[in-house]
């Protein structure tokens, strides 16, 4: 069993019953589960989750989580028995595939249709997130699962390696409520794929939006890197010597103006001009020099032709 350091509910969670808590208080930052077993991986946790105290007590040394359905137990024997019989082991991933590229597929899962799955996924994710709190009322969210089909395995065994969730109706036009790549698969560019898909969906919905704020420090760094790359690639399409404005970048990339500002400040290439802050001039040559210096490639993390859903379907919704 490999170990990594990076990275509804009653005392018998494998029975599939649910129990919602009457109240949830903000936990201390010390994890209430020290480590979790997911498939053949042994992962140290970062933050507390809202697993029932009846199950984990004040602190639990190890929690066993099914790699296919995310149901959980503190005991090894029930875990082994469940993984042998899990209904999701030899069947397609829940939901509808919306994106497929090489060894990756993204599935859209409705939290209302698959409530238990969404709750268990959210509880597992909270072990690695410090500021999210939606775990039981999942019916108003959609979940977008990033599934990796390892070509080295025979037979193939699709594995959820990360996801983002999104409110079905967001008054703030947030295109992401929660986003996470599980620790064993971090630092491989998978988060950039999830971000790219979330923005492409926003573009097809004709909605200017961004991730729910506030972002964690790790989340902010990841998004600033993503925004910076998108801006650099957009600027590369402009004629040689041409500059543009912050407002124009936002309209073309569907990145919120304030997020464009965050990225440009990080890149240190925003030039002031008269007028409002959204009229700041952005110089193409300086963006190109920044991209070269920071090793930012001109290839997008996603392929728009790899989407499996029609734009008209999104517009109708």
């Amino acid at each position: 069993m490999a170990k990594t350091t990076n990275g509804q509910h009653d005392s018998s969670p494998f029975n599939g019953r649910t129990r919602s808590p009457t109240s949830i208080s903000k936990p201390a930052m010390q994890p209430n589960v020290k480590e979790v077993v997911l498939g053949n991986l042994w992962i140290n946790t970062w933050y507390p989750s809202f697993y029932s105290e009846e199950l984990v007590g004040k602190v639990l040394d190890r929690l066993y989580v099914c790699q296919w359905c995310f149901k959980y137990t503190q005991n090894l024997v029930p875990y082994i028995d469940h993984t042998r019989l899990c209904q999701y082991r030899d069947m397609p991933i829940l939901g509808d595939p919306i994106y497929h590229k090489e060894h990756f597929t993204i599935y859209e899962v409705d939290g209302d249709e698959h409530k238990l799955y969404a709750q268990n996924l959210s509880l597992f994710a909270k072990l690695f997130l410090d500021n999210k709190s939606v775990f039981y009322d999942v019916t108003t969210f959609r979940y977008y699962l990033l599934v990796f089909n390892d070509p080295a395995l025979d037979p193939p065994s699709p594995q959820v390696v990360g996801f983002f969730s999104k409110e079905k109706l967001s008054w703030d036009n947030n295109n992401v409520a929660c986003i996470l790549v599980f620790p064993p698969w971090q630092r491989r560019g998978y988060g950039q794929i999830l971000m790219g898909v979330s923005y492409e969906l926003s573009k097809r919905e004709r909605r200017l939006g961004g991730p729910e704020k506030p972002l964690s420090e790790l989340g902010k760094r990841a998004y600033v890197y993503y925004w910076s790359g998108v801006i650099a690639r957009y600027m590369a399409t402009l004629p040689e010597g041409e500059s543009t404005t912050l407002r124009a970048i936002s309209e073309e990339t569907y990145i919120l103006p304030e997020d464009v500002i965050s990225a440009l400040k990080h890149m240190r290439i925003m030039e002031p001009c008269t007028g409002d802050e959204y009229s700041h001039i952005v110089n193409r040559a300086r963006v190109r020099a920044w991209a070269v210096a920071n090793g930012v490639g001109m290839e997008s993390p996603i392929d728009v032709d790899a989407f499996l859903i029609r734009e008209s379907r999104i517009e109708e919704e």
Side-chain angles (χ1 to χ4, degrees), residues 30-226:
Q30 186 68 25
N32 56 343
V33 176
K34 292 183 179 180
E35 58 191 27
V36 62
V37 171
L38 181 73
N40 65 344
L41 298 174
W42 183 8
I43 312 168
N44 286 348
T45 62
W46 301 349
Y47 301 102
S49 186
F50 297 114
Y51 289 109
S52 95
E53 192 169 310
E54 182 182 353
L55 169 71
V56 303
K58 295 294 184 182
V59 179
L60 180 66
D61 288 333
R62 184 177 302 165
L63 187 69
Y64 297 91
V65 177
C66 176
Q67 69 188 89
W68 297 291
C69 70
F70 297 95
K71 290 182 180 179
Y72 53 87
T73 181
Q74 60 179 324
N75 299 310
L76 178 58
V77 173
Y79 170 71
I80 294 174
D81 290 341
H82 168 81
T83 55
R84 288 172 177 167
L85 301 173
C86 179
Q87 61 178 317
Y88 300 116
R89 177 170 182 165
D90 299 314
M91 66 180 293
I93 302 296
L94 286 175
D96 301 316
I98 66 164
Y99 180 88
H100 177 74
K101 179 73 172 180
E102 296 176 342
H103 306 302
F104 294 95
T105 306
I106 290 183
Y107 290 82
E108 181 186 74
V109 175
D110 190 323
D112 189 28
E113 294 180 12
H114 304 285
K115 185 177 179 181
L116 181 62
Y117 182 94
Q119 289 176 335
N120 287 333
L121 173 64
S122 298
L123 285 167
F124 174 76
K126 179 62 183 70
L127 294 169
F128 311 101
L129 296 168
D130 62 347
N131 61 353
K132 298 300 179 183
S133 58
V134 176
F135 305 99
Y136 297 97
D137 185 13
V138 296
T139 59
T140 60
F141 290 83
R142 289 191 176 94
Y143 293 76
Y144 296 85
L145 313 179
L146 179 61
V147 177
F148 176 57
N149 255 308
D150 190 343
L153 296 179
D154 187 23
S157 179
Q159 175 64 56
V160 178
V161 298
F163 76 99
F164 71 88
S165 61
K166 177 181 178 181
E167 287 182 283
K168 295 176 183 177
L169 177 61
S170 171
W171 297 107
D172 298 320
N173 278 343
N174 294 325
N175 61 16
V176 163
C178 172
I179 185 169
L180 175 69
V181 175
F182 303 152
W185 294 278
Q186 291 181 0
R187 300 184 181 277
R188 303 186 189 184
Y190 298 168
Q192 299 292 297
I193 296 175
L194 289 172
M195 293 175 195
V197 168
S198 71
Y199 274 97
E200 180 62 23
L201 291 176
S202 290
K203 185 176 181 180
R204 295 181 180 212
E205 294 169 357
R206 308 291 192 268
R207 295 179 184 272
L208 185 65
E212 183 179 304
K213 307 298 195 316
L215 293 168
S216 67
E217 284 304 311
L218 285 175
K220 185 175 182 180
R221 286 201 294 269
Y223 265 100
V224 166
Y225 182 82
Y226 172 79

